[in-house]
Amino acid sequence: MMGGNDQQAYDRGTSLFSPDGRIYQVEYAREAVSRGAPSVGVRTADGVVFVAMSRASSSLMEAESIEKLHKLDDHLGTASAGHVADARQLIDLARRQSQGNRLRYGEPVGVETLTKFVTDHIQENTQRGGTRPYGAALLIGGIDNGEPRLFAADPSGTPNEWKATVIGGGRSDIQGHLEEEWTEGLSLDAGVELGVAALAAHDDEFEPEDLAVATVTEADGYRTLPVEEVAEAFEAAGLTTEDDESDEENAEADTDADDTDDTDDTDDTDDEE
């Protein structure tokens, strides 16, 4: 019984290591992230691409109210996964730091600098009593001295730089696709197509309207792609929509009908002979 009580104490403690060196609350926070809708980040030669699943859970929900991608500054953007409320707190923190850097130093904050500021704040909640870890993960990407950079921040407060990665559900399938298909010198359009195709590797039953896509480049800064451009990337990635499938089914039905008519005509000719 004593061992069981000790286990529960480590389980509840947000700042206690278990005897095997684990902080259970951080692991639970990571589990919360893995249950969220996935968000993909891809670094290309021209900039950074964010592709996030933003499907509404009900037909009565306004799709525009689902926020997965956020602008932090003209040269910075972020994608989130996990608990939305936790993510919003971190995003507001990042925005304040980015604005403060411009006011204080008169220049945009660096991507790595901002990421480490946010992850330092996240890490504090893993060693202080009275708080819990953030149940959210972020992808932070942008242009740093003319070079695109992409970082991921997880609930432990660890910052890692990536060429392409995913946070949220379906990580195994999506990351596997990214590792197979990402190449050096990838164009921005190809990066969008890769992000869309990577999400489809886990779940291919979605429409262009179910995705939120944004890019960050030196020329255009942070830009959200309209659904028309997302649909183009959708098709370029070799995916089909429900309308396309309906058109194919109708075409097959018309072909079958034509074959039937031809058969009937043949039978009528035989009768006349």
Side-chain angles (χ1 to χ4, degrees), residues 172-229:
S172 178
D173 295 335
I174 297 171
Q175 190 67 34
H177 184 87
L178 292 172
E179 290 173 357
E180 290 177 3
E181 301 297 330
W182 188 91
T183 58
E184 200 73 46
L186 203 66
S187 70
L188 196 69
D189 290 340
V192 175
E193 294 167 16
L194 175 59
V196 173
L199 289 179
H202 171 65
D203 175 12
D204 60 357
E205 295 183 359
F206 61 87
E207 301 295 314
E209 295 79 7
D210 298 329
L211 299 179
V213 182
T215 60
V216 187
T217 62
E218 188 171 18
D220 299 328
Y222 181 91
R223 176 175 176 264
T224 302
L225 270 62
V227 68
E228 293 80 13
E229 293 186 28

Side-chain angles (χ1 to χ4, degrees), residues 109-131:
V109 67
V111 182
E112 183 175 4
T113 301
L114 180 66
T115 301
K116 289 186 175 179
F117 175 83
V118 173
T119 53
D120 285 348
H121 176 77
I122 293 173
Q123 190 275 336
E124 287 180 7
N125 280 28
T126 68
Q127 65 178 53
R128 280 193 317 192
T131 64

Side-chain angles (χ1 to χ4, degrees), residues 127-147:
Q127 65 178 53
R128 280 193 317 192
T131 64
R132 63 164 174 78
Y134 285 93
L138 297 180
L139 296 177
I140 301 175
I143 306 299
D144 202 346
N145 295 323
E147 295 294 328

